[in-house]
Amino acid sequence: MRFNICDSSFAVINSHLNAHQDNVTRRNQDFHDISKRLVFPVDDDPTNFVSMFDHDFLFWIGDLNYRIELDGAEIKARVQQKDYASLLAADQLKIQVKAGLAYEGFQEAPIKFAPTYKYDKGTNIYDTSEKARPPAWCDRVLWRSADNDTITNLSYGRHELLSSDHRPVSAVFLLKVKTIIPEARSKVYQELLKKLDSVENELMPDAVISSSLIDFGNVRYMVRQNRTLTVKNIGQVMARWRFIPKLDEARVHKQWLSVIPT
């Protein structure tokens, strides 16, 4: 979804990416496919679309399904010790972001809570089924902003709801949104127009010609007469010129006259 607060634009993407330990490449591809294909219509105009990256604030949340590249028993032992730092060093999402393979430019608040997946439903015990899936931080909140100074993360944590095999997570942010002052905007707009007009005038070609009249004097039969005409560039940019015929004539000059160069 997308929305505006004052004059700042927001987009929120909620996704469930490919599952299973080994499907890192598939998850990365899911990210890139969604990034390329998902567009938002603007002002109900079917011809005007923007991408998720065309917003001041972009939040990507959901079950991203990235796992931890360690043995399940080892992960559980480190969780018991609350050794989250070593587990995060093996976190697939952190590794992919660092390698520039997915979620490049996104940020995530420090994780200071236990992996949120996978629990036996209704308990605080990690998966004891035959599959014995290793714990992982599948559920994430990532963000990206046009200006990092406009967003501050206040909290990032999990919630102990037992109705699912996941523990939900949430994040709270303090945002600085922009409000456009019409009078100030109009003033800046007018100043920019003046500057552009000035630049445009400076970039226009300008030239002068040494004379608008050429007198060949007394012309005798079979006796060539030469006259020189000077075209001078007095502008600040390259000027191109050429002689052109009058509106009702096909040739630049009469047959008895030659002009070099034209």
Side-chain angles (χ1 to χ4, degrees):
M1 66 178 179
R2 72 182 300 266
F3 55 90
N4 286 352
I5 297 179
C6 295
D7 292 302
S8 290
S9 57
F10 293 75
V12 181
I13 314 299
N14 187 355
S15 66
H16 186 180
L17 306 187
N18 260 279
H20 306 303
Q21 183 82 15
D22 299 330
N23 280 346
V24 180
T25 302
R26 291 284 300 276
R27 287 188 274 277
N28 291 350
Q29 190 59 48
D30 286 344
F31 162 75
H32 290 293
D33 288 343
I34 294 171
S35 298
K36 292 176 182 177
R37 297 177 183 177
L38 183 60
V39 294
F40 298 89
V42 178
D43 300 327
D44 297 323
D45 182 353
T47 63
N48 188 12
F49 292 91
V50 295
S51 78
M52 65 178 69
F53 299 108
D54 293 323
H55 295 80
D56 297 308
F57 298 95
L58 169 60
F59 296 91
W60 196 310
I61 66 177
D63 182 0
L64 307 188
N65 252 321
Y66 287 92
R67 308 303 172 90
I68 299 173
E69 295 285 5
L70 293 172
D71 176 78
E74 184 177 357
I75 295 174
K76 291 179 181 178
R78 296 190 187 187
V79 170
Q80 287 290 329
Q81 302 166 6
K82 294 188 177 181
D83 182 13
Y84 302 145
S86 65
L87 293 176
L88 287 167
D91 175 68
Q92 290 178 345
L93 179 56
K94 299 272 186 199
I95 294 171
Q96 299 307 300
V97 171
K98 187 175 181 180
L101 298 176
Y103 292 97
E104 191 172 5
F106 281 82
Q107 298 185 64
E108 183 179 24
I111 294 178
K112 300 178 181 179
F113 50 87
T116 57
Y117 174 86
K118 170 180 173 41
Y119 287 90
D120 293 338
K121 286 187 179 181
T123 75
N124 288 315
I125 302 171
Y126 284 114
D127 188 17
T128 59
S129 67
E130 292 182 1
K131 294 182 179 179
R133 296 176 181 86
W137 286 286
C138 291
D139 313 285
R140 314 291 276 261
V141 176
L142 306 177
W143 77 87
R144 176 172 171 157
S145 62
D147 184 353
N148 291 330
D149 292 334
T150 59
I151 182 169
T152 303
N153 176 258
L154 301 181
S155 69
Y156 187 30
R158 54 178 266 169
H159 303 276
E160 303 310 314
L161 302 181
L162 308 182
S163 57
S164 168
D165 56 353
H166 289 251
R167 293 293 183 269
V169 300
S170 69
V172 178
F173 296 92
L174 177 65
L175 306 171
K176 295 180 182 178
V177 297
K178 60 189 176 185
T179 300
I180 296 175
I181 303 171
E183 296 79 7
R185 180 179 186 175
S186 177
K187 181 180 178 181
V188 171
Y189 181 72
Q190 294 300 325
E191 289 175 353
L192 285 174
L193 285 181
K194 290 180 180 178
K195 289 182 179 179
L196 288 173
D197 188 52
S198 174
V199 171
E200 186 177 6
N201 288 334
E202 290 177 358
L203 295 180
M204 289 189 64
D206 194 7
V208 293
I209 194 168
S210 58
S211 175
S212 59
L213 178 66
I214 301 176
D215 185 359
F216 286 94
N218 294 324
V219 180
R220 293 184 173 82
Y221 181 68
M222 292 300 291
V223 177
R224 180 181 296 273
Q225 293 278 11
N226 296 321
R227 294 294 185 270
T228 299
L229 192 66
T230 302
V231 179
K232 184 178 181 180
N233 180 7
I234 61 172
Q236 300 183 38
V237 295
M238 181 183 294
R240 300 180 182 274
W241 64 272
R242 64 188 176 97
F243 290 108
I244 59 174
K246 294 181 181 179
L247 293 177
D248 55 346
E249 296 183 6
R251 294 171 57 91
V252 172
H253 50 73
K254 303 296 183 181
Q255 291 187 4
W256 48 263
L257 181 68
S258 62
V259 179
I260 302 172
T262 56

